[in-house]
Amino acid sequence: MASITKPGILSVLRNAGPGTAFSRASGNNAVVVKVLSYGAGAASARNVLAYQSKEEKAHDQDGREVTDLNAAVGLWEREFGNRQGSKDVLRLAYELEPADREQVARALSALASEGFRDVGDTDRTYAFSVSEGAKGHSRLNLALVIAHEKKDRSDRGSQNRIAAEIDDVHWIDARVDRALRAQGITPVSRYPGEFSSGPKGFTAALHAMQRGGAEVTLSTTTHVEERPGKSGRYLHGTERRETSTADHKQLTVEGKIVGALMQTRQPRDFMHLLLSGPANVDRDQLIHAGRDFLREQFAGHRYAYAVHNRNDLDKHPHLHVIVALRNSSGKMLNPNIRDFTEWRVRFADKARERGIPIDRQKRLERAGPPPVKRWEWEMFRRMGATAPSNVVNKVLTKVRDTPTAPRLAEARQRLEQSRRSVGLVLKMLDGIAKDRSAPSTARELSQDLAIGLQREHRRLETAVHAGRDPTSEKGEEHMLRSTPISAAQAKAAKETLANTAVNLATKITNPSDRLIFEQATKVIGKVVGLQLDARVAKNRERAEDGKDKRGSDSLETKSATGRDHVAEHGIVNKSSNDRSVDLSRAARSNVDRDQPERDRPDRQREKGQQRGREITKSIKLRPPQVKDRDRTR
């Protein structure tokens, strides 16, 4: 049963505050939802199930306890369709007449210089060991990488891969047999060939060769290029290097170097998921929350979960979960960073429903040690105190579990920069809206954007002051117009906004402020372009439907800021502030209208007849009335 909680407190716990460091500092811990690994095949599933059950028995998706591990592996194997992992490493074993290790090394080196599969395939990695075999024979164990070995980590090719077919294995076996006999070594028998999957499979093959204290020789062209002040870079060169050792740890290191450039085709049948919570919570309620989350999130998938650290109050309780990626309907689950964020939110919601004050925070928002990347660990391990200071500080902070202190001064500075940039953008939009010489489409659009930005800014500020998460606030649409416009109007509005932004950016002296302003105007430019293009497209649809008899380039619109500027239509401006010019123009128009029909040219006569059909009575232009002040526009 859920713990008894007052309604008021429960409502607060369900809304424990925004996912920020402030909530973490107030005592609300964060949940952890992450994928530890992916796996393929029944053997990998068995390893995960065995690791799950090291403290308590696991439970499946139906709530049943997993008591028989072999039966559970059989169910998972049927779920995968008996699919095996990627075949990346070929393992061969021979019984030889008593032979010297140096002879075997020369035979394999000669074969590598010629090619294991084809002539010219000389860059392939191999490893071997010679130990005591049966009936006084010598046993040769050979591991050959048949996967494509990349030139560097950016290589995405696969042209150098050997197919794991029976004919290819027989061909490689024949070439190995021929090379051994050329050195005077007589193979007595060969064990069935086996395959390993991925970098871990190659490392496991090296460890298997080393059993019994045998020395393993690794020959490869893969190496790590050391770079002063930077992490090493994995490269696949042309010069072959050999390493002979019986040290388990050194073989692990060498296996990782080769595996870093191994282009594996490892399929994904399941994922190993971790659900973790803080140490100072009700363990049973957290486990129930995790069970509810799994039942809801992975409905239709086969999964099994087990609890670790249930009774150790000094450690974080967590659930290890194995989830089949393909559900009962055949749909494949391919999780990404958005899925992990969503799972974290849902797991936190389930925990708060059971009265656990917990937050759905990201790792970067937690008041904990900063995350350390793999290359930073490797750099610190190789260089130690000589590594860059920022890398040393991050690694030591992680090792000592020291939270990073928030840099309030820098945060205030960034906030002030943002406010200044918003102010500059509003100033630019307000200036365009008040500029009577600018096209009216640009003026009305600038006015709408300025009002919308101000309202949005005030709304987010209100959310922050009220203690709500501003990133979860739902946005609103502010005065987005849909009046059709012409292509010429859209072009004029875009050019006006772009030129004004460029001119204003050149006047900003602070480089940081100028960069933020330019980024903001780019976003506004995209919004403006999309809105204007939509209005132009609407105008074309209207013209195609026959509702608008005029051409699309002569469309006139009215707005709160006045009739469209004549420059938007390419019309000569015939208005003036000179009263004498207006009087003469009106007089000429009246004379033309009073002129007899027969005295007019044919073109003017046709225009007059058409205008007569549209307008029932004649209207004469009159001079503007005399007022106390001059006529203005």
Side-chain angles (χ1 to χ4, degrees):
M1 292 179 62
S3 59
I4 300 175
T5 310
K6 295 181 180 180
I9 298 178
L10 183 59
S11 62
V12 174
L13 294 177
R14 289 178 179 173
N15 300 280
T20 61
F22 294 103
S23 182
R24 172 75 170 174
S26 302
N28 297 327
N29 292 283
V31 296
V32 175
V33 179
K34 64 180 179 180
V35 175
L36 298 180
S37 63
Y38 293 95
S44 298
R46 181 187 181 88
N47 294 334
V48 177
L49 290 171
Y51 177 78
Q52 279 184 329
S53 305
K54 71 175 186 177
E55 294 187 15
E56 298 182 11
K57 294 291 185 181
H59 291 76
D60 61 9
Q61 67 279 354
D62 298 323
R64 297 172 297 190
E65 189 177 76
V66 181
T67 56
D68 190 350
L69 191 59
N70 293 327
V73 171
L75 294 175
W76 283 88
E77 188 174 9
R78 286 197 295 272
E79 190 80 19
F80 304 150
N82 297 322
R83 187 159 54 123
Q84 298 179 354
S86 176
K87 297 179 180 180
D88 300 317
V89 181
L90 172 62
R91 292 182 289 131
L92 300 174
Y94 298 87
E95 290 289 339
L96 311 175
E97 293 288 345
D100 183 36
R101 192 174 188 281
E102 297 299 328
Q103 288 181 289
V104 176
R106 286 195 297 269
L108 295 178
S109 178
L111 180 59
S113 61
E114 181 182 353
F116 279 93
R117 174 63 178 83
D118 299 310
V119 177
D121 185 16
T122 60
D123 296 334
R124 200 165 298 280
T125 298
Y126 70 93
F128 74 94
S129 68
V130 178
S131 59
E132 184 179 351
K135 298 180 180 181
H137 294 157
S138 298
R139 179 171 298 174
L140 168 63
N141 291 289
L142 174 65
L144 177 67
V145 177
I146 61 175
H148 171 69
E149 296 184 77
K150 300 181 290 186
K151 296 180 180 178
D152 51 39
R153 285 189 167 179
S154 62
D155 184 9
R156 292 294 180 268
S158 59
Q159 66 276 9
N160 200 26
R161 184 180 184 89
I162 298 178
E165 303 293 341
I166 187 66
D167 294 337
D168 296 278
V169 175
H170 286 167
W171 183 257
I172 294 173
D173 171 55
R175 292 180 66 85
V176 172
D177 183 271
R178 191 181 309 117
L180 292 174
R181 294 183 184 277
Q183 292 293 328
I185 303 173
T186 305
V188 177
S189 61
R190 178 177 70 82
Y191 295 93
E194 297 179 349
F195 295 96
S196 297
S197 179
K200 292 184 179 180
F202 180 72
T203 304
L206 296 180
H207 292 164
M209 293 182 190
Q210 185 259 334
R211 291 173 186 170
E215 188 177 42
V216 179
T217 298
L218 174 69
S219 178
T220 181
T221 59
T222 303
H223 64 282
V224 180
E225 180 186 18
E226 299 292 342
R227 297 184 296 176
K230 299 181 180 179
S231 62
R233 181 167 56 186
Y234 294 91
L235 293 177
H236 189 64
T238 57
E239 296 295 331
R240 184 174 289 273
R241 65 181 181 88
E242 290 190 357
T243 302
S244 298
T245 181
D247 184 32
H248 186 88
K249 292 184 178 179
Q250 187 175 355
L251 288 176
T252 302
V253 173
E254 293 293 339
K256 289 182 178 179
I257 294 176
V258 175
L261 297 183
M262 186 185 299
Q263 183 71 9
T264 180
R265 293 180 177 179
Q266 182 72 13
R268 289 181 175 182
D269 288 331
F270 64 87
M271 64 178 174
H272 184 187
L273 190 68
L274 177 71
L275 305 179
S276 178
N280 57 346
V281 296
D282 188 336
R283 305 299 177 95
D284 294 334
Q285 294 301 326
L286 182 68
I287 294 169
H288 290 324
R291 180 195 60 192
D292 297 340
F293 164 75
L294 293 174
R295 184 183 297 115
E296 179 181 312
Q297 184 65 46
F298 301 112
H301 292 263
R302 180 181 295 277
Y303 64 84
Y305 67 93
V307 183
H308 289 191
N309 297 338
R310 181 194 290 268
N311 300 318
D312 193 346
L313 301 181
D314 294 333
K315 296 182 179 180
H316 292 251
H318 55 273
L319 279 71
H320 284 272
V321 190
I322 176 174
V323 182
L325 295 179
R326 192 179 301 275
N327 63 8
S328 57
S329 302
K331 186 177 180 180
M332 195 72 175
L333 184 65
N334 187 21
N336 53 30
I337 188 63
R338 297 184 183 88
D339 295 318
F340 300 148
T341 303
E342 181 183 354
W343 295 350
R344 190 181 300 111
V345 170
R346 294 187 177 182
F347 182 31
D349 290 340
K350 294 298 181 183
R352 287 198 300 274
E353 288 177 2
R354 293 185 172 271
I356 301 176
I358 208 167
D359 271 343
R360 49 186 184 272
Q361 297 163 330
K362 295 182 179 180
R363 182 185 299 272
L364 295 177
E365 295 173 346
R366 303 208 314 260
V372 180
K373 298 180 180 178
R374 180 178 178 180
W375 65 269
E376 293 173 332
W377 281 107
E378 294 179 356
M379 179 185 295
F380 181 79
R381 179 177 58 81
R382 289 195 302 268
M383 302 180 63
T386 60
S389 58
N390 60 331
V391 174
V392 174
N393 293 335
K394 288 183 67 175
V395 173
L396 293 181
T397 302
K398 185 70 174 180
V399 171
R400 297 167 183 170
D401 196 19
T402 305
T404 54
R407 301 174 181 178
L408 298 180
E410 294 183 4
R412 294 193 189 99
Q413 183 179 0
R414 288 194 299 269
L415 178 60
E416 187 61 29
Q417 283 183 345
S418 300
R419 286 179 176 175
R420 288 198 301 266
S421 300
V422 172
L424 290 172
V425 172
L426 292 175
K427 180 181 178 181
M428 177 191 72
L429 297 175
D430 186 63
I432 297 175
K434 294 180 178 180
D435 186 5
R436 302 296 296 179
S437 63
S440 64
T441 305
R443 297 201 308 271
E444 68 181 16
L445 194 57
S446 300
Q447 184 181 12
D448 294 348
L449 288 173
I451 295 175
L453 284 176
Q454 290 174 351
R455 290 181 178 177
E456 193 71 12
H457 185 64
R458 287 195 298 267
R459 187 178 63 83
L460 295 179
E461 279 188 339
T462 303
V464 172
H465 290 309
R468 301 193 303 271
D469 185 3
T471 59
S472 62
E473 292 289 320
K474 186 178 180 180
E476 299 177 359
E477 293 183 357
H478 301 284
M479 301 179 65
L480 295 180
R481 305 192 183 214
S482 59
T483 309
I485 59 175
S486 65
Q489 288 175 290
K491 181 180 179 182
K494 292 178 183 179
E495 292 179 352
T496 301
L497 289 172
N499 295 334
T500 306
V502 171
N503 295 333
L504 186 56
T506 57
K507 299 178 182 179
I508 302 176
T509 57
N510 191 331
S512 300
D513 292 345
R514 182 168 60 252
L515 178 61
I516 297 176
F517 175 78
E518 290 176 350
Q519 292 174 349
T521 52
K522 284 183 181 179
V523 175
I524 291 178
K526 291 182 180 179
V527 173
V528 168
L530 292 174
Q531 205 242 1
L532 292 175
D533 293 341
R535 293 170 67 179
V536 172
K538 186 175 182 181
N539 180 26
R540 293 196 186 101
E541 294 176 358
R542 180 176 177 179
E544 291 174 0
D545 294 339
K547 295 180 181 179
D548 190 357
K549 302 301 181 182
R550 296 170 297 182
S552 61
D553 290 338
S554 63
L555 181 66
E556 296 178 359
T557 60
K558 287 187 177 181
S559 65
T561 55
R563 186 176 297 276
D564 284 10
H565 197 273
V566 291
E568 299 179 28
H569 306 288
I571 303 173
V572 179
N573 188 355
K574 295 183 179 180
S575 61
S576 172
N577 288 333
D578 192 344
R579 290 177 57 83
S580 60
V581 175
D582 293 338
L583 288 171
S584 62
R585 186 181 295 121
R588 287 196 303 270
S589 178
N590 292 334
V591 170
D592 292 339
R593 182 171 292 277
D594 294 338
Q595 184 179 0
E597 188 73 18
R598 62 179 179 274
D599 296 338
R600 299 183 188 177
D602 295 339
R603 182 177 298 178
Q604 293 183 5
R605 188 182 304 115
E606 293 176 0
K607 290 183 179 180
Q609 294 175 355
Q610 182 179 2
R611 189 163 51 244
R613 289 192 299 268
E614 296 176 356
I615 304 175
T616 57
K617 62 179 180 179
S618 70
I619 300 175
K620 293 185 178 182
L621 296 177
R622 292 179 174 83
Q625 297 179 0
V626 179
K627 295 183 179 180
D628 295 338
R629 55 187 176 85
D630 292 339
R631 174 190 176 196
T632 60
R633 295 182 60 197

